[in-house]
Amino acid sequence: AQTVTQSQPEMSVQEAETVTLSCTYDTSESDYYLFWYKQPPSRQMILVIRQEAYKQQNATENRFSVNFQKAAKSFSLKISDSQLGDAAMYFCACSGNTPLVFGKGTRLSVIA
Amino acid sequence: DTEVTQTPKHLVMGMTNKKSLKCEQHMGHRAMYWYKQKAKKPPELMFVYSYEKLSINESVPSRFSPECPNSSLLNLHLHALQPEDSALYLCASSIRGTGAFYNEQFFGPGTRLTVL
């Protein structure tokens, strides 16, 4: 079984600045994937970025990048050049041979 | 077509009513999921269908009854619900069915259910 911990219930960032959301996980599986999902107030859950555990290179999607530290079981999300549209609930999730396990989420506010 | 659709968007029902939620995807995905989400909480897995067969039931009360008529369609039948069942119900799909669930899930916009 997996567990996912997000220790920051709320974060805020100034528009155009950079923010990092933290996530730690625990799993006994050797093959697993990690995800960051975004859920704006409009409620649709959208995949932001994914990381395969066997890949050492950190995943990047435009302004979104991760810092994957496998030994420390850490998977943080960095958002660069923050935009108003980035305001949302962000969920970290882990999946191996069992369905997605979500963290409790971090609510990100973007200040104009 | 890279989306999961859900109908209706909103549903209000009494505790004696019978209603159904519908989810559809045309991405050729072989796994489909139902989640329940309370405000400011992560989604809670309810059911997983893999290759149109129920593979996971997370001890969900029998007043929720899932159905997968074909690989593109997933229903959730509701009967004799309680006010605490009011929540956002999310449907999701993923490429693979059995075995590895590690491929990402694509979520629908959800149905906001209110039980009076």
Side-chain angles (χ1 to χ4, degrees):
Chain A
Q2 295 125 340
T3 59
V4 177
T5 302
Q6 293 179 250
S7 58
Q8 305 153 316
E10 296 184 359
M11 293 279 287
S12 62
V13 61
Q14 292 280 349
E15 200 174 3
E17 296 296 308
T18 296
V19 65
T20 299
L21 308 184
S22 301
C23 173
T24 58
Y25 64 94
D26 195 14
T27 179
S28 57
E29 299 185 29
S30 58
D31 187 15
Y32 56 92
Y33 282 60
L34 297 162
F35 306 92
W36 278 98
Y37 280 89
K38 168 186 177 181
Q39 189 175 35
S42 63
R43 78 193 183 197
Q44 179 117 29
M45 190 85 75
I46 303 166
L47 178 68
V48 175
I49 199 165
R50 59 176 273 178
Q51 174 79 43
E52 293 91 334
Y54 63 87
K55 288 188 177 179
Q56 293 185 338
Q57 186 172 5
N58 289 324
T60 300
E61 287 288 341
N62 300 314
R63 297 182 295 108
F64 299 88
S65 61
V66 298
N67 183 3
F68 175 45
Q69 301 290 325
K70 191 172 183 178
K73 295 184 177 177
S74 171
F75 182 62
S76 60
L77 175 69
K78 186 172 82 172
I79 306 174
S80 303
D81 185 25
S82 296
Q83 301 175 359
L84 294 177
D86 294 333
M89 196 75 166
Y90 286 82
F91 293 101
C92 179
C94 180
S95 180
N97 287 320
T98 56
L100 282 177
V101 174
F102 289 92
K104 291 187 175 181
T106 297
R107 181 168 298 280
L108 178 67
S109 301
V110 180
I111 303 166
Chain B
D1 189 353
T2 58
E3 66 173 358
V4 176
T5 60
Q6 289 187 245
T7 54
K9 291 185 178 180
H10 300 273
L11 179 62
V12 180
M13 61 185 292
M15 289 189 284
T16 59
N17 292 157
K18 287 185 180 180
K19 297 287 185 182
S20 296
L21 309 185
K22 178 180 174 181
C23 173
E24 203 160 2
Q25 58 87 13
H26 295 286
M27 295 179 279
H29 289 178
R30 303 314 303 268
M32 296 185 77
Y33 310 76
W34 279 117
Y35 289 88
K36 173 183 178 181
Q37 187 180 26
K38 290 283 199 179
K40 299 183 180 180
K41 299 289 185 182
E44 299 173 29
L45 183 65
M46 300 175 71
F47 302 104
V48 180
Y49 272 85
S50 177
Y51 295 95
E52 299 150 54
K53 292 184 179 179
L54 183 65
S55 61
I56 294 178
N57 176 342
E58 293 285 359
S59 302
V60 179
S62 59
R63 56 185 183 270
F64 295 92
S65 176
E67 178 196 20
C68 189
N70 58 58
S71 61
S72 300
L73 187 58
L74 185 66
N75 297 319
L76 185 63
H77 303 298
L78 315 172
H79 173 54
L81 294 192
Q82 304 297 309
E84 59 264 30
D85 296 322
S86 298
L88 180 67
Y89 287 83
L90 294 168
C91 174
S93 70
S94 63
I95 294 173
R96 289 188 181 89
T98 56
F101 288 90
Y102 49 76
N103 42 287
E104 61 260 38
Q105 294 180 18
F106 294 79
F107 285 82
T111 294
R112 176 73 63 191
L113 174 67
T114 302
V115 181
L116 301 177

